Each structure stands twice: as structure tokens, then as C-alpha cells.
Amino acid sequence: MSEALPVVRLKRGRYKSVLSRHPWIFSGSISSVHGSPVPGAVVDVHDQEGGFLARGYYNPHSQITVRILTWNESEPIDRDFWRRRLQASIARRGPLLESTETTAYRLAFAESDGLPGLIVDRYGEWVVLQSLTYGIEPWKTTLADLLVELTHARGVYERSDVDVRGQERLEPVTGDLAGERVAERVIVSENGLRFQVDIAGGHKTGFYLDQRDNRRKIAPYCADRRVLNVFSYTGAFAVYAARAGAAAVTNVDSSYDALVAGEENLRLNGLEREVDEHIQGDAFQVLRGLRDEGRRFDLVILDPPKFAYNKSQVTAATRGYKDINMLGMQLLEPGGILCTFSCSGLISEDLFQKVLFGASVDVGRDVRILERLAQGTDHPVLLTFPEAAYLKGFICQVE
Ligand code: SAH
């Protein structure tokens, strides 16, 4: 069957990353294309001698022209292929699958799970599929059917409305893909807490699943503390803090709807109180205002959106991280705890630590790292694809 596939031939000297099993082939590595593959088609990748290197899907519109699906010449890309990959990916979630405490998590994390361009999240009885690339598009219905079969989900909803699709020349697409029509509001559990999720309209696929383990790790620091939760979205960190016995929680976000959902999530867990605050506004301005009013907190969480989408934005992003972290440090009582994150893949943990160092020097506070944090276990990092590591964070004590 492989001789029927179109062929992408690599330039001599560009085989190394394929041989070391990196799943991306950039346009600059390709010497020629044979057999007129359409965008999204499955192609074989050959060396200059016509030897097989890998098989993947093709998109001439993308800088990442081929994403590799297999290095095995005798493995066809068919329904069975996707079934095996999905099944293995789901099985990799291990104990989460059996948990009643946690019913929302990522079932497939794209390249890291051998499923390039495909994200699958579970929210209770529902599954959300996100296609990031042309190569996933022709398989969406097959994938949705397989997901119903493998997870017994009531329905599969598509949330392919992320900006990166633009780099593939794909339009945003959302809607029901398989099974029943998705519920508007879904209640999920995370570490025994309840959260309402808006599958059709929320950020990402509805919830920031990648922070689950970090919410649990930060909770014990929150007892009896005044907690400032900045970039709160639907207030998940605040719900954990309240359960852990925080003296008060203050959510800050630019989105009114997210703040309202944040109050709702506290209520859903019987944790709402008069002392809690929900402040809408630009975090940089709000924090400056609080600082200048002399407000102080015992624990500050900073979980900003991605600041760097490409290399040219890294310098501006580091300035943004430095500013917000200086404000966070200034708002803390001596001995307070700063929990700070960066989800920009282009900012390494090392660089982020340097930014925090710069911030600490400028505000004249000694800052000690107590714990290093990363994305949850359902967002694994395949060693041949280090690009998958994007979320990093620190729990620090600020003197
Ligand atoms: N901590 C959250 C996720 C945060 S996502 C959680 O655990 O679920 C980032 C959030 O920052 C989004 O809710 C977005 O609305 C908000 N945001 C983006 N830019 C902002 C700004 N300049 N000021 C305040 N909030 C902002």
C-alpha cells in the first residue's frame, strides 16, 4: 500500500531529526514532492536514495510541512491505526480513568501521545476534540466515532477554534461531531471539587486542565492566608484555596463572565463568603492600584495567558513577566508565598527563573524557590518532542 502514497523527499543532511524521531519536517528540509498530495494527505518521507524514513501527513501551507505519524513502513494509516493510537493514549492516563474525584482531564496530548495535531479532553460524560492541523481534518468523524466507542462518552464536541489553525490556513470550526448534542453547562470534578465548564464557549476546550496538579500542590499553602488569585479565569485556584481554609480569596481577571463563573464555582462547593472579592480589570493596572492603596496579601497566584506566540515576542514577553511578578512580590507581606506561572513554550524554565531573579532584585526582596511546577501528568512530554513542555511555575517565599 505504501507505493501508492505520494512521496516527500528530504534534502541530504536533513535526515537526522527524522531518524531521532522528532515528529516535524520543516519546509526547508524538503527537496521535492512527488505524486501531488493535497493538503492533509498521508505521504511517505524518503531520503535521496528513495529509502523510507517515515510516514506522516502533509500540508504545503504550513512551515511544518509534514507531521510524522509512524516510522514503521508496514503500518498503514487507516481507522485501525487511529484506534490503536487513541486506545494507547487513553490507557496512558492510568489512574485518572478510574477516579471519581477527577472527571476532567486530557485524553490525548497531540505529538506527545503519537497523535500529532490532535487534542482530546474528557469532561465527565462528554469528550471534546480539537483539530489543530490539516492532516487531522479528514479523520475527524472517524476519530469521534472511535472516541465514543473507546470512552462511552455521551457525545463528542469539536472545539477547533484556536488561532494556530490559521498557520495551517484552516478556518475555526465548532459543533457536535458524534453522539448526543453537548450540554451547555457541564459539571465536572477535580480532586473532589466541583466546577462548571462551558464546553462550547469556555477558554481552550472549556477549562485549564493543565493546572490540576498545581492547584492541589498550592492548596496547602493557602490555609489562613489572604489569597490573591490573578488571571483567575473561572476561579479554580480560589476554590482550592477556599477549601484549604484561606482567610479570603480575591480573584482578578479581565473577563466579567469568567469572574461570575468563578463565584458560581465557589457556590457550587459551598465555599462562597462575604470576604471574597472578584475584581474585573487589567491585571497590571489592578495590581498597581492595590499596591498603591497599601493592600497586602499572604499568597499571590499569577497565571497569565501566553505572552509569547513566536520568537520575536520573547523579549516583550519577558518584560511582561517581570512587571507582573514585581507587582506580585510587592503585594506580599514579608514571608509571603508567590505562586507564579508561564505557559509560553518559548520561555524556558531557566529563562523564567532569570526573569524572577531580575524582578526580585528590582523590588529589593529575597526570593527563594520552594517548589518547581509543570503541566499535569495528562500533558506528558515525549522526549523526542521537547516542544511539548510549555507550562512551568514556581512556588516561592518572598522575604
Ligand atoms: N488560572 C486560571 C487560568 C488562567 S488563563 C485557571 O486555573 O483556570 C488566563 C486568564 O487571564 C484568562 O481568564 C483571561 O481572561 C485573563 N486575562 C488575559 N489578559 C488579562 C489581563 N491583561 N488582565 C487580567 N486578566 C487577563
Side-chain angles (χ1 to χ4, degrees):
M1 92 142 261
S2 64
E3 48 271 279
L5 291 176
V7 167
V8 167
R9 185 164 297 163
L10 297 196
K11 293 177 184 162
R12 214 177 288 285
R14 300 293 180 92
Y15 310 155
K16 198 168 160 244
S17 86
V18 184
L19 293 171
S20 55
R21 296 177 77 93
H22 193 282
W24 289 352
I25 294 173
F26 288 94
S27 57
S29 299
I30 295 170
S31 68
S32 56
V33 177
H34 308 266
S36 334
V38 295
V42 174
V43 295
D44 276 349
V45 180
H46 285 182
D47 61 21
Q48 285 295 316
E49 280 67 47
F52 177 89
L53 290 169
R55 180 170 296 143
Y57 60 69
Y58 174 76
N59 182 0
H61 305 313
S62 173
Q63 286 292 310
I64 305 168
T65 309
V66 178
R67 298 198 194 214
I68 297 174
L69 296 166
T70 181
W71 282 263
N72 175 358
E73 190 172 7
S74 53
E75 187 171 35
I77 309 306
D78 53 14
R79 185 185 168 94
D80 264 0
F81 166 86
W82 295 106
R83 193 177 191 286
R84 285 192 305 277
R85 289 289 168 98
L86 283 176
Q87 201 166 23
S89 185
I90 293 167
R92 223 165 268 136
R93 271 60 199 168
L96 277 174
L97 300 170
E98 305 303 321
S99 173
T100 49
E101 296 263 286
T102 296
T103 62
Y105 44 85
R106 182 146 293 185
L107 288 170
F109 184 40
E111 274 76 350
S112 279
D113 278 307
L115 292 160
L118 178 69
I119 302 284
V120 181
D121 290 336
R122 176 190 166 199
Y123 291 101
E125 301 174 287
W126 307 95
V127 163
V128 180
L129 179 153
Q130 190 168 68
S131 157
L132 306 175
T133 57
Y134 237 111
I136 292 297
E137 292 294 299
W139 298 101
K140 283 191 306 200
T141 326
T142 305
L143 291 165
D145 289 345
L146 288 169
L147 284 166
V148 170
E149 177 197 326
L150 295 171
T151 68
H152 309 294
R154 279 176 66 185
V156 180
Y157 188 78
E158 176 174 14
R159 275 298 301 273
S160 303
D161 54 351
V162 270
D163 293 340
V164 288
R165 278 170 65 95
Q167 297 172 18
E168 295 264 320
R169 284 208 213 152
L170 286 168
E171 300 291 322
V173 182
T174 59
D176 295 289
L177 272 181
E180 287 176 49
R181 168 151 235 190
V182 79
E184 280 206 357
R185 286 269 181 284
V186 175
I187 309 274
V188 299
S189 298
E190 191 185 88
N191 290 314
L193 290 164
R194 284 152 60 81
F195 295 95
Q196 61 161 14
V197 174
D198 177 359
I199 287 180
H203 289 187
K204 298 230 227 183
T205 60
F207 201 62
Y208 288 86
L209 300 168
D210 51 359
Q211 288 285 25
R212 181 181 53 256
D213 295 345
N214 300 327
R215 295 185 187 115
R216 186 176 44 74
K217 285 181 185 155
I218 290 170
Y221 293 92
C222 295
D224 302 318
R225 301 203 186 230
R226 291 163 295 169
V227 173
L228 177 64
N229 181 25
V230 189
F231 306 100
S232 57
Y233 187 50
T234 55
F237 278 108
V239 176
Y240 278 71
R243 176 171 68 173
V249 296
T250 303
N251 282 331
V252 177
D253 204 279
S254 53
S255 158
Y256 176 79
D257 290 346
L259 287 168
V260 170
E263 287 186 72
E264 190 60 40
N265 282 330
L266 283 167
R267 222 176 346 252
L268 203 55
N269 293 280
L271 293 167
E272 78 283 16
R273 294 167 305 181
E274 282 294 318
V275 290
D276 299 331
E277 294 174 291
H278 305 271
I279 305 175
Q280 186 193 2
D282 170 59
F284 292 85
Q285 282 176 26
V286 171
L287 265 55
R288 228 171 273 127
L290 290 169
R291 179 195 65 191
D292 297 345
E293 285 165 27
R295 285 283 302 273
R296 293 297 176 264
F297 297 85
D298 308 304
L299 188 143
V300 172
I301 299 164
L302 302 174
D303 185 20
K306 194 163 163 178
F307 285 164
Y309 286 88
N310 57 55
K311 282 197 183 124
S312 70
Q313 296 172 340
V314 167
T315 309
T318 57
R319 232 174 285 127
Y321 285 119
K322 186 177 176 189
D323 285 350
I324 201 73
N325 278 281
M326 284 173 64
L327 288 163
M329 290 172 191
Q330 290 171 323
L331 280 160
L332 280 168
E333 296 283 9
I337 299 289
L338 177 68
C339 307
T340 182
F341 295 95
S342 160
C343 62
S344 305
L346 292 166
I347 310 266
S348 66
E349 183 183 302
D350 189 47
L351 176 55
F352 190 44
Q353 183 173 326
K354 289 193 174 90
V355 169
L356 295 178
F357 151 72
S360 77
V361 170
D362 281 14
V363 299
R365 307 281 293 264
D366 281 335
V367 178
R368 292 179 175 80
I369 296 172
L370 306 180
E371 297 194 44
R372 291 169 188 275
L373 306 174
Q375 63 218 50
T377 55
D378 51 344
H379 295 62
V381 180
L382 185 66
L383 285 179
T384 53
F385 185 64
E387 290 88 341
Y390 66 100
L391 180 62
K392 73 256 6 146
F394 297 101
I395 301 179
C396 305
Q397 186 159 48
V398 179
E399 289 298 327

